[in-house]
Amino acid sequence: MSVVIYAESADGKLKKVAFELASYAKKIAESLGTTVTAVTVNAENVSELSNYGVAKVLKVTNDKLANFNAKAYADVVKQAAQKEGTKVIVLSSTTDSLYLAPLVSIGLEAGFASNVVGLPLSTSPFQVKRTAFSNKAFNITEISTDVKVLSISKNSFGLVESASSISEEDFAPTLNDADFSVKVESVEKSTGKVTIADADIVVSGGRGMKGPENWGMIEELASVLGAATACSKPVSDIGWRPHSEHVGQTGKPVASNLYFAIGISGAIQHIAGINSSKVKVVINTDAEAPFFKVADYGIIGDALDIVPRLTQKLKEFKAQNS
């Protein structure tokens, strides 16, 4: 009857979002009088999950699952949930899990709530608070099915340490050819030091950077901040940056603690995709740019002049406070 989470990993290492899910699930498990079980796929070291309240890990090791496959991974999570007899499955809001969650829900005949931003308001009836209308509003959703699937918005809960003993168990779910009907032909990975999915800070550039030759400014600022680099859709469309860095409603959703929009006017799709970010800083020459209407801080001016100066000031601040 444990609460089950899917703890995502990349290249064998658990992602930060896995620890946020564990923190969230631990609180639900306490209210339900149960424990937390994590499902991992090809993860090498899972012991760190014990720092966030996970009591048991079902470790799946399978070369066929080297690349994410929504149908196959959904089958893994479904079978793990059935094995544990769980009533609550908690997933993240990463791109992979957004594909995964509906399939898990169908497989378990479970109610599904996406974009959840807090612990259940009530467990009987089971009610959660969610964002709606591209993060412009909230609603309260009641799930009446026996099994519930929740997708948690990134950075909405944070990391809460809760040390526990942990057991690890090899788990070999039954997978068939139908699970692999979709084939992965190639995988494009961004080369930044920090991935967009794991970043607390994102530095994003648009056409206001005037050309790919100026992107070193974005990368240097990101390096000083320990941030991920990103870009607007037009920038990836014209080939200045890889599509893996495109953020927004039609790219990767971003819910960082701090988001820099540099030389990005603020198309509605872009703003909708990053609106869950807590603090937004905009740098743009156009004082009427739509982004300024949603910004927490705005600088009107040429990014090619402002960004190097901002980077230098941050370097000086870090040197004085290190």
Side-chain angles (χ1 to χ4, degrees), residues 16 20 93 116-118 131 135 138 152-159 199-202 253-260 271-282 291 294-297:
K16 177 191 168 186
E20 183 173 24
S93 58
V116 176
V117 293
T131 58
N135 303 310
F138 297 101
I152 313 303
S153 290
K154 182 174 176 284
N155 284 330
S156 62
F157 190 75
L159 304 184
D200 286 327
I201 304 173
V202 174
V254 170
S256 56
N257 290 322
L258 176 60
Y259 182 81
F260 280 87
I271 292 175
I274 63 88
N275 210 31
S276 290
S277 295
K278 290 183 172 62
V279 177
K280 308 172 193 67
V281 179
V282 175
F291 230 135
V294 299
D296 296 284
Y297 301 94

Side-chain angles (χ1 to χ4, degrees), residues 6 14 25 31 70 78 115-116 122 139 148 161 194 197 204 261 302:
Y6 164 51
L14 291 169
S31 68
K78 182 190 80 171
N115 304 319
V116 176
S122 167
N139 69 30
K148 291 92 175 164
E161 292 196 10
V194 182
S204 189
D302 186 350

